[in-house]
Amino acid sequence: RLPRWLARADVVLVGYPGPLDMLVFAPLVRMSRRWLVFDPLVTLTDTLVEDRRLVPAGSARARAVRLLDRLALRLADVVLADTEENAQYMRTLAPSSQSRIVVVPVGADEELFSPDRVAALEAPSPGWPAQARGALRVLFYGTFIPLHGPETIVRAAALLGPERASFVLIGQGQLAGETQALARALDLQNACFLPWVPYRELPAWIATADVVLGIFGDTAKAARVVPNKVYQAMAMGAAIITRDSPAVRRVLEHERSAFLVPPADPAALASAIEALNDHGLRSRLGTAARQAFLQLAMRQALAER
């Protein structure tokens, strides 16, 4: 007899980070002749071995992780990938699954991240630190992983100085301690580090920032993704700076809907921030980014995918 949750379902969706769940549930779902959809977001191999390097490449553990990924991808009737580049990576990892991999951007919660709600938003807490007159407010939030390139952000802040830009970096994670240590070593006067803020406060932070930062890591994974934070900033109509890559070029156009800079290049990032001291340019970028979101990543566009 089928479990009640499965008897009532037509489709079973396994989300991130689901390889182990796939091994557990796939046999039962297949026996019930339901559809099994896997939305991994990223593979364990990509995250643990290649990007964060928590598992040594070529080791027995790395091979075990790769096997787990391959099995999870093969067990699904449909696999969702967030970019064409990530889809190709998964096809290489599990060639027999390539015809079942479909690209669907991650998008953003458009009811929460919406410029229509800005007037009703409360000021973010604890708020932006005091800044020099005319200095840009620059926002980053994330889990401080290598993909994000937080060192690049800190070094760009040091190049600009407090007269030109004030940075708020929100979040915690793998490289947070190292990043804050670097900021202290550089005697950084224009960067404030905050722990996690409530998710529903992020739109207020984006709305009060002049510039919102994406990712700047130089890892292979960083070139294949368009992170959630970029879609959230697009949905809000923010002026965005993020690393250039084939994946992001499918979504954003340099100097039209965002500024795209080389990875791991603090000088290029600092130069892009300086260029956005022009309010009119920031406004045009934000409008174009919002339009790109509506065309590519709003709920209706994702549903059609």
Side-chain angles (χ1 to χ4, degrees), residues 268-298:
L269 175 55
S271 179
I273 292 170
E274 276 197 296
L276 292 188
N277 200 36
D278 182 331
H279 180 271
L281 176 57
R282 295 199 305 273
S283 179
R284 290 193 296 274
L285 289 176
T287 298
R290 170 71 178 169
Q291 189 60 36
F293 176 83
L294 295 177
Q295 291 175 354
L296 299 171
M298 69 179 298

Side-chain angles (χ1 to χ4, degrees), residues 140 158 164 195 275:
F140 168 82
R164 289 181 283 183

Side-chain angles (χ1 to χ4, degrees), residues 26-194:
L28 183 60
V29 175
R30 284 200 173 278
M31 287 174 56
S32 70
R33 298 185 179 181
R34 268 58 175 181
W35 279 76
L36 180 58
V37 179
F38 184 29
D39 185 8
L41 185 62
V42 292
T43 65
L44 296 179
T45 300
D46 205 358
T47 298
L48 299 178
V49 181
E50 298 180 9
D51 187 61
R52 301 194 192 185
R53 299 174 184 173
L54 299 176
V55 175
S59 66
R61 283 191 298 159
R63 291 193 294 273
V65 168
R66 188 178 184 88
L67 177 60
L68 179 57
D69 278 329
R70 185 179 295 118
L71 289 173
L73 293 171
R74 287 177 175 174
L75 288 169
D77 294 301
V78 177
V79 177
L80 304 183
D82 62 321
T83 67
E84 182 56 45
E85 287 70 23
N86 259 342
Q88 188 55 48
Y89 178 85
M90 292 179 191
R91 292 178 187 123
T92 302
L93 196 62
S96 63
S97 302
Q98 57 182 316
S99 63
R100 301 195 295 274
I101 298 175
V102 179
V103 177
V104 181
V106 294
D109 181 347
E110 60 206 60
E111 294 175 359
L112 182 62
F113 295 91
S114 170
D116 297 333
R117 297 184 66 254
V118 168
L121 294 174
E122 296 182 8
S125 177
W128 289 84
Q131 63 193 104
R133 182 179 178 85
L136 291 177
R137 291 178 169 182
V138 183
L139 174 67
F140 168 82
Y141 58 90
T143 53
F144 286 81
I145 57 178
L147 179 144
H148 292 158
E151 176 185 339
T152 298
I153 297 171
V154 165
R155 292 191 181 279
L159 290 172
L160 288 166
E163 298 301 317
R164 289 181 283 183
S166 174
F167 290 69
V168 167
L169 294 89
I170 298 172
Q172 295 170 318
Q174 181 181 351
L175 300 179
E178 293 178 28
T179 305
Q180 293 179 35
L182 175 62
R184 290 191 295 270
L186 294 172
D187 192 25
L188 203 61
Q189 301 297 311
N190 58 331
C192 171
F193 291 87
L194 299 178

